[in-house]
Amino acid sequence: MSPDEYCQQKTVQSGSSFYYSFLFLPPERRRAITALYAFCREVDDTVDECTDQSIARIKLAWWRTELAAMYAGAPTHPVTQALQPHLAVYNLQEQHMQAIVDGMEMDLDQTRYLDFPAMKRYCWHVASVVGILSASIFGVTNPKTLEYAEQLGLAFQLTNIIRDVGEDARKGRIYLPVNELQQFGVTAADLLNARHSDKFENLMRFQTERAQKVYDEAFALLPKEDRRAQRPGLMMAAIYRTVLDEIERDNFHVLTQRISLTPLRKLWLAWKTYIRG
């Protein structure tokens, strides 16, 4: 199996909404974004699938070393071997790649966030920086586009946090800010024990309204001249916002289930966004 084939398999197996937007890219950009996504999956799985934190830290340290080797032109892992040829072409910065690893390490160091600025810092490392790297691969002529990508990454992560509240709680992680839980009268025990209530619905409605606002702010930052190149991000946004709508329609029953769209619906939303241009 070639490095590109390894990354393709990793991406397809994840079942991610992102995959559907990659299908519409030219081959070279598609290979680059698939390798980037496979890297994100590898380091994320290092934390999620490793029950021993000390081993997870050792693995993340290995990834830091491997990133340095990749930028020195000597990658050893299939993912970094697939990604390395694209670094200079799309101006993918090592500091941004290392920041993703920092974000995964935050999951080992912290399971609660006091307020939104603290949660936003986490989101920057695990999502906003991925947005910046992705936008660079899709094509950027105006620096303002990277601001759009950073904000869109935040919107995606806020959506993930809303969708995965129950799943994350079962792993002992609560990303919703402590002061906002207190504001709406929801306790950590409510989340850990999957206690759905009117208070919980009000809390989640607040989270959803903020996420929708962040999407709108991101779109307002996207320069016209880069809109066509950035269609993959807009496709992802169409899928993610539809998920948010479905969650709200279901009265935020996210503590005991994960609400998602069918592959066909994701593909349809991606196609619809693509033909709009």
Side-chain angles (χ1 to χ4, degrees), residues 5-268:
E5 287 168 343
Y6 177 92
C7 294
Q8 175 71 9
Q9 187 179 72
K10 187 86 178 173
T11 304
V12 172
Q13 285 175 344
S14 74
S16 171
S17 301
F18 290 79
Y19 171 71
Y20 296 90
S21 65
F22 301 167
L23 297 173
F24 297 87
L25 284 166
E28 199 61 26
R29 294 184 194 273
R30 187 165 68 242
R31 281 193 287 272
I33 194 66
T34 301
L36 174 63
Y37 182 79
F39 166 76
C40 293
R41 284 258 50 90
E42 290 282 353
V43 291
D44 191 39
D45 290 347
T46 293
V47 173
D48 281 350
E49 296 177 5
C50 192
T51 52
D52 187 324
Q53 283 203 4
S54 60
I55 293 175
R57 289 183 193 281
I58 290 168
K59 287 184 175 181
L60 288 179
W62 182 88
W63 275 110
R64 292 184 194 283
T65 305
E66 179 64 10
L67 284 176
M70 176 178 72
Y71 278 89
T76 61
H77 192 280
V79 164
T80 45
Q81 287 173 346
L83 193 52
Q84 199 270 335
H86 306 290
L87 300 179
V89 178
Y90 301 117
N91 192 28
L92 305 180
Q93 301 293 314
E94 183 177 359
Q95 65 191 36
H96 288 145
M97 299 294 295
Q98 295 284 3
I100 297 171
V101 182
D102 292 340
M104 301 309 167
E105 194 157 32
M106 287 173 77
D107 272 332
L108 300 176
D109 297 329
Q110 196 168 351
T111 57
R112 302 285 190 278
Y113 293 88
L114 183 61
D115 51 26
F116 183 64
M119 183 177 102
K120 189 176 177 182
R121 179 174 166 269
Y122 168 76
C123 292
W124 186 86
H125 280 86
V126 298
S128 291
V129 73
V130 179
I132 292 168
L133 289 163
S134 299
S136 300
I137 291 171
F138 299 151
V140 173
T141 60
N142 186 327
K144 199 87 176 168
T145 299
L146 297 180
E147 295 177 35
Y148 142 82
E150 186 175 355
Q151 193 76 345
L152 189 63
L154 172 61
F156 288 155
Q157 190 60 25
L158 294 179
T159 304
N160 285 341
I161 287 169
I162 292 164
R163 181 195 63 196
D164 298 339
V165 167
E167 189 179 320
D168 289 333
R170 287 188 287 278
K171 295 175 184 173
R173 297 179 196 150
I174 297 175
Y175 295 107
L176 300 177
V178 172
N179 67 342
E180 292 175 5
L181 290 174
Q182 292 170 342
Q183 179 186 336
F184 287 91
V186 176
T187 66
D190 290 334
L191 304 185
L192 296 170
N193 294 299
R195 289 197 287 260
H196 188 95
S197 65
D198 290 344
K199 289 178 180 178
F200 176 74
E201 286 186 20
N202 291 335
L203 168 67
M204 298 311 290
R205 191 166 289 107
F206 172 79
Q207 302 295 324
T208 299
E209 286 171 359
R210 175 165 59 201
Q212 295 284 19
K213 185 181 174 190
V214 174
Y215 279 110
D216 291 338
E217 289 169 351
F219 297 152
L221 288 167
L222 178 58
K224 268 185 183 174
E225 60 267 32
D226 281 345
R227 182 180 172 84
R228 190 172 180 83
Q230 295 298 320
R231 279 184 300 185
L234 298 175
M235 293 178 211
M236 294 178 217
I239 293 169
Y240 266 61
R241 292 191 95 166
T242 302
V243 170
L244 267 187
D245 292 341
E246 291 293 335
I247 290 170
E248 188 163 15
R249 196 172 291 120
D250 195 50
N251 293 319
F252 306 102
H253 283 92
V254 288
L255 290 172
T256 54
Q257 64 179 346
R258 177 174 173 163
I259 294 172
S260 61
L261 308 180
T262 64
L264 187 61
R265 194 171 178 196
K266 290 175 184 176
L267 188 59
W268 167 245

